[in-house]
């Protein structure tokens, strides 16, 4: 069943069976993030994500030129320091919400993913990019710094040296989708024309797996950032044990032994 959320000005949100597609739809401003976009993202992520019915969230940009070209620079011009802190906090809350969702989040990136756009993509579990996509953190060229998690997540994602290069050299060090893939910033890269096809492969991959197993694996992998190895291994062993009282594991293992496809809907 296909369903949309009405009354949103800047987002198109469509539920199609277990897949939710969120399109940031300000193509004339290359989908730049302003306070209203953040508010609508908050509403959708906090009020409309039902793990029982939605398993994958795809985030993309409207039009064909950009995923998101960053925070809205025009809107930032009149911000006070207090406004800027609030704006950054709000953006960070959105990125943390994406990371905490039970659902698998997929950033579908074509065109520009700059500044807040690169940061938003990095908060997703999987980034699928077109070869001609452009990733970068050009904030320093505006005399500001990343405020949406870039100084933290980029370092974790690509390591200190590549992150320093991108963060400190700003727009002179933006990466194509292919370069971003080589450096570990994105998960998959394909020809521009095959982007949607590749996103569909990701969706089918996730939907073919056990819902609880996927959600638990996401939680543990995300927590790896903030846990010691011993604490993480302990959490993994506990979660592994918990799987075995879930009918999903019984079905998955039985299906393998009986040489049939698992039915995780039971
Ligand atoms: N904000 C507002 N408007 C934008 C933005 C933006 N980030 N990016 C593009 N636009 C607008 C342009 O002003 C232009 O509007 P108009 O047609 O009315 O003049 C339209 O989109 C098309 O853009 P261009 O004409 O500039 O298109 P080009 O192909 O010449 O250039 C670029 C494309 C290279 C992407 C160029 O637009 C550009 O450099 N954009 C700014 C990129 C940038 O610096 N991004 C970082 C912003 S700062 C940031 O993200 C901080 C995040 C931390 C806080 C986050 C809290 C949520």
């Amino acid at each position: 069943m296909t369903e949309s959320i009405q009354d949103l000005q800047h987002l198109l949100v469509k539920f199609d069976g277990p897949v939710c597609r969120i399109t940031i739809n300000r193509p004339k401003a290359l989908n730049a993030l302003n306070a209203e976009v953040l508010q609508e993202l908050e509403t959708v992520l906090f009020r409309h994500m039902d793990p029982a019915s939605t398993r994958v969230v795809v985030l993309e940009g409207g039009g064909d030129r950009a995923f998101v070209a960053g925070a809205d620079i025009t809107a930032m011009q009149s911000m006070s320091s207090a406004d800027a802190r609030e704006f950054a906090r709000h953006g960070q809350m959105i990125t943390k919400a994406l990371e905490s969702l039970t659902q698998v989040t997929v950033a579908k990136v074509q065109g520009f993913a700059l500044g807040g756009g690169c940061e938003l993509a990095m908060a997703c579990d999987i980034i699928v990019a077109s070869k001609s996509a452009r990733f970068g953190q050009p904030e320093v060229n505006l005399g500001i710094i990343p405020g949406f998690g870039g100084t933290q997540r980029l370092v974790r994602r690509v390591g200190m040296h590549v992150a320093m290069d991108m963060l400190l050299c700003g727009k002179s060090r933006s990466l194509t989708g292919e370069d971003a893939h080589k450096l570990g910033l994105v998960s998959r890269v394909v020809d521009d024309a095959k982007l949607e096809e590749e996103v569909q492969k990701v969706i089918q991959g996730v939907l073919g797996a056990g819902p609880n197993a996927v959600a638990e694996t996401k939680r543990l992998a995300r927590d790896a950032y903030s846990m010691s190895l011993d604490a993480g291994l302990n959490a993994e062993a506990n979660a592994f044990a918990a799987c075995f009282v879930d009918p999903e594991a019984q079905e998955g293992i039985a299906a393998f032994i009986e040489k049939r496809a698992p039915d995780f809907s039971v």
Side-chain angles (χ1 to χ4, degrees), residues 28-30 32 65 69-73 87 112 114-116 119 138-139 147:
K28 285 190 184 150
L30 303 186
R65 295 205 58 215
D72 190 315
I73 299 169
F87 189 51
F112 298 107
L114 302 175
E119 293 168 305
E139 285 91 339

Side-chain angles (χ1 to χ4, degrees), residues 51-52 54-55 99-105 125 206 209-223 239 243 246 248:
T54 303
R55 293 191 55 204
E99 288 178 338
S100 307
L101 282 181
T102 312
Q103 290 83 0
V104 173
T105 52
D125 301 321
V206 172
N212 180 56
V214 169
E216 279 295 274
T217 302
K218 168 171 174 170
R219 180 180 66 79
L220 289 156
R222 283 291 178 197
D223 286 352
C243 285
D246 193 308
E248 182 179 299

